[in-house]
Amino acid sequence: MNFELKTLDLAQLAREKCDALLVLVDDHFKPGSGALSELVAQALKSGDFSAKTGRLLQTYRHPGLAATRLVLVGAGDGSVKQVRNAAAAAVNAIKASRCKQAVLHLGALAAVNEAVVSGAMLAVADTTYVYTTTKPKAEARSLQTVTLGVADAAACQAGHRHGRGILAGIELAKEWANRPANHATPTHLATAAQALGKPAKFKTEVLGPKEVTRLGMGSFLAVAKGSEEPLRFIVMRYDGAAKTEAPVVLVGKGITFDTGGISIKPAGEMDEMKFDMCGAASVLGVFKALAELRPALNVVGLIPACENMPDGRAIKPGDVVTSMSGQTIEILNTDAEGRLVLCDALTYAERFKPRAVIDIATLTGACVVALGGVRSGLFSANDTLATALQTAGDAALDPCWRLPLDDEYAEGLKTNFADVANIAGRMAGAVTAAKFLQRFTAKFDWAHLDIAGTAWKSGAAKGATGRPVALLVHYLLGQAAATPARAPATRTPRAKSTTPAARARRA
Ligand code: BES
Ligand code: MN
Ligand code: ZN
């Protein structure tokens, strides 16, 4: 879908030819000149319409309007959250009409900033997204072009650009996450990472079982043992800043299907375990966004990808394996496999001497119980990193909530047969999983996002959400802004540089 920005007021809006005009009206609405403004004022006065979020008033072929349909939609206090909800309601209202071109007018809102523009774009994209990979005949998204009407297009350009980059990332993450496991094998994910890297000039490296064995990733290998599908360890590098800048490393759990292994899961809703690679999908999505936005920052993406299957060769409860870190692990439950693949990826991350490592994983059912589908679980011993991620999530409307990491929570991971066990009893399952991971993060600042509750929706609306791509991109753009301005790889003086990358960085 194509988003365009245009400077428009309500008087000009009446002359815009399109299938639908979607006009957001907030509590601060002040009537100006022209018939459309008067119409809004009258509708408000009569009580037929109000600025309450989601309130709708629709007309068809209204005299004096060049557009076929008009939808007034209440945007509450005009905050990013209300604008998002209003934009979604407006787009839903015209869904059945199969409009091709719409104008989403934000120009009547009291305050339109970068976040409001990108928030509105993400809402429109989200409500019109259609999964196609294994359902190519699904009724395609009809909306082709959405013009965002604003009071000052120049002032909204950064929001528009960020919105475009983030939504490209979210849609890539959704599509990969939604694919069933037989269309999203570790090999497929690796090919996707390579395809993503080529035009964007990322370096993508894909390791297979041989290389992973050579690295000593005994824990990751153990999980993959029960599957006929060969594992893949995907390494992506986006170099937007000087080589001397320490990168942020993102590690995405890439279990392309989680049966539980020998500790097999019950049959009900097991299909949803195709979503157990949503962490990996979010890393792919972030790299898609980086390709579009080209911030001045170095980022490494690591994806340990494999299936967790029961088999004659599969790991058994009680098996002890040696991780890449040298720590031995007693696998008491083969269904606690996410931490087993992540721990080796975390050890691998050490070689990048990272400024921060963030892992993203559909790690525990316990996190779903604790936080539901609203906020992702956030764990970090580093207050600065935790605050930066929480703030980014709030700003991106992709929120997370910090949970504790007290050492007392690690008690249950003790075992007589190895350095650590992979489970610790029934209580505080999201925290004990994080405590397990923390043992592999001594050499860098680390945060863990448990997205088990937020990465996809169940029921009639079953499907991936693309979370936490928006959170991560917001965080990374913030880090890029905070990075000392050094000569990028091109060595062109920044102020005078006219390379697209340099222009993008200044935008
Ligand atoms: N992928 C699951 C976590 C999960 C379960 C996410 C349900 C979303 C919905 C993970 O691999 C898992 O099976 N975790 C176990 C851990 C337990 C065995 C300690 C869990 O949460 O039940
Ligand atoms: Mn599992
Ligand atoms: Zn899992």
Side-chain angles (χ1 to χ4, degrees):
M1 194 170 18
N2 196 20
F3 285 96
E4 281 161 13
L5 260 186
K6 195 165 178 181
T7 301
L8 288 171
D9 61 22
L10 281 178
Q12 294 163 319
L13 194 60
R15 297 191 290 273
E16 281 292 307
K17 249 188 113 154
C18 61
D19 298 322
L21 281 186
L22 314 172
V23 182
L24 271 65
V25 178
D26 67 11
D27 294 334
H28 314 282
F29 180 77
K30 287 207 179 59
S33 62
L36 189 48
S37 179
E38 197 163 308
L39 187 154
V40 175
Q42 276 176 5
L44 284 169
K45 204 169 158 203
S46 69
D48 282 323
F49 176 63
S50 93
K52 218 173 136 245
T53 324
R55 263 299 286 275
L56 294 168
L57 183 67
Q58 307 186 49
T59 70
Y60 184 69
R61 291 198 186 281
H62 188 83
L65 290 185
T68 311
R69 297 164 191 83
L70 170 69
V71 182
L72 302 184
V73 54
D77 60 8
S79 64
V80 187
K81 203 169 183 168
Q82 311 278 19
V83 166
R84 177 190 64 178
N85 295 343
V91 170
N92 270 325
I94 58 159
K95 229 176 196 173
S97 308
R98 308 211 42 81
C99 298
K100 287 202 176 72
Q101 288 175 304
V103 176
L104 182 69
H105 190 64
L106 308 174
L109 300 172
V112 173
N113 54 26
E114 208 177 290
V116 166
V117 172
S118 62
M121 290 169 68
L122 295 185
V124 172
D126 190 57
T127 32
T128 56
Y129 166 80
V130 182
Y131 168 78
T132 54
T133 306
T134 50
K135 201 179 178 183
K137 291 193 187 121
E139 201 165 350
R141 176 184 248 165
S142 55
L143 211 49
Q144 299 295 317
T145 308
V146 175
T147 304
L148 299 161
V150 292
D152 181 357
C156 294
Q157 223 122 46
H160 177 237
R161 209 175 87 78
H162 289 171
R164 277 228 289 237
I166 294 169
L167 82 83
I170 288 176
E171 298 211 337
L172 184 95
K174 276 188 185 176
E175 196 68 16
W176 274 101
N178 281 333
R179 283 183 177 223
N182 63 333
H183 291 262
T185 62
T187 309
H188 287 138
L189 288 187
T191 311
Q194 276 161 333
L196 198 59
K198 250 190 198 144
K201 299 203 171 63
F202 293 147
K203 295 178 201 110
T204 307
E205 199 186 342
V206 177
L207 312 185
K210 252 194 217 148
E211 293 92 343
V212 166
T213 306
R214 219 171 292 138
L215 283 166
M217 293 184 166
S219 186
F220 179 22
L221 280 162
V223 175
K225 269 181 72 180
S227 171
E228 295 283 327
E229 285 292 338
L231 66 77
R232 291 291 181 261
F233 188 71
I234 306 167
V235 183
M236 305 173 78
R237 299 199 58 158
Y238 165 77
D239 298 318
K243 281 207 174 80
T244 48
E245 290 293 337
V248 174
V249 178
L250 304 177
V251 182
K253 173 178 171 182
I255 298 296
T256 58
F257 197 82
D258 181 12
T259 65
I262 297 299
S263 315
I264 200 160
K265 288 180 181 294
E269 278 129 47
M270 205 210 268
D271 66 290
E272 294 190 11
M273 283 299 116
K274 72 172 183 178
F275 292 117
D276 213 16
M277 37 62 78
C278 281
S282 75
V283 173
L284 292 177
V286 168
F287 272 73
K288 174 78 181 171
L290 292 173
E292 305 256 322
L293 298 172
R294 308 220 64 91
L297 182 79
N298 295 331
V299 186
V300 174
L302 301 177
I303 298 175
C306 71
E307 289 182 341
N308 185 22
M309 299 288 283
D311 181 71
R313 266 187 263 275
I315 38 163
K316 304 165 290 295
D319 282 2
V320 174
V321 298
T322 304
S323 66
M324 186 179 175
S325 72
Q327 297 178 71
T328 54
I329 303 166
E330 184 185 25
I331 301 172
L332 285 173
N333 188 319
T334 66
D335 197 11
E337 85 297 338
R339 61 199 80 180
L340 296 175
V341 305
L342 290 171
C343 70
D344 281 340
L346 288 169
T347 302
Y348 187 87
E350 288 174 4
R351 67 185 56 205
F352 300 104
K353 301 197 170 45
R355 65 201 261 185
V357 177
I358 304 162
D359 77 72
I360 308 106
T362 49
L363 203 63
T364 65
C367 193
V368 189
V369 174
L371 297 173
V374 180
R375 285 180 185 260
S376 305
L378 164 67
F379 298 84
S380 182
N382 183 304
D383 291 341
T384 313
L385 181 55
T387 307
L389 288 167
Q390 177 136 9
T391 311
D394 288 338
L397 300 183
D398 185 357
C400 59
W401 195 258
R402 194 174 179 186
L403 293 168
L405 280 170
D406 301 274
D407 280 336
E408 288 83 346
Y409 286 109
E411 278 301 306
L413 294 170
K414 288 186 175 152
T415 159
N416 296 336
F417 304 106
D419 294 329
V420 64
N422 79 328
I423 55 164
R426 287 186 57 237
M427 309 300 259
V431 187
T432 57
K435 286 306 286 182
F436 177 93
L437 294 177
Q438 192 182 27
R439 296 176 61 95
F440 302 85
T441 64
K443 302 222 168 98
F444 42 72
D445 288 334
W446 161 77
H448 158 58
L449 287 167
D450 192 332
I451 57 166
T454 53
W456 77 89
K457 290 180 186 156
S458 307
K462 191 187 289 183
T465 59
R467 291 177 68 178
V469 171
L471 181 165
L472 292 167
V473 176
H474 268 251
Y475 165 76
L476 291 173
L477 292 178
Q479 291 299 299
T483 305
R486 289 210 195 157
T490 54
R491 288 171 197 282
T492 323
R494 288 195 73 195
K496 287 178 194 157
S497 170
T498 53
T499 64
R503 269 202 306 278
R505 275 194 294 275
R506 286 200 298 274

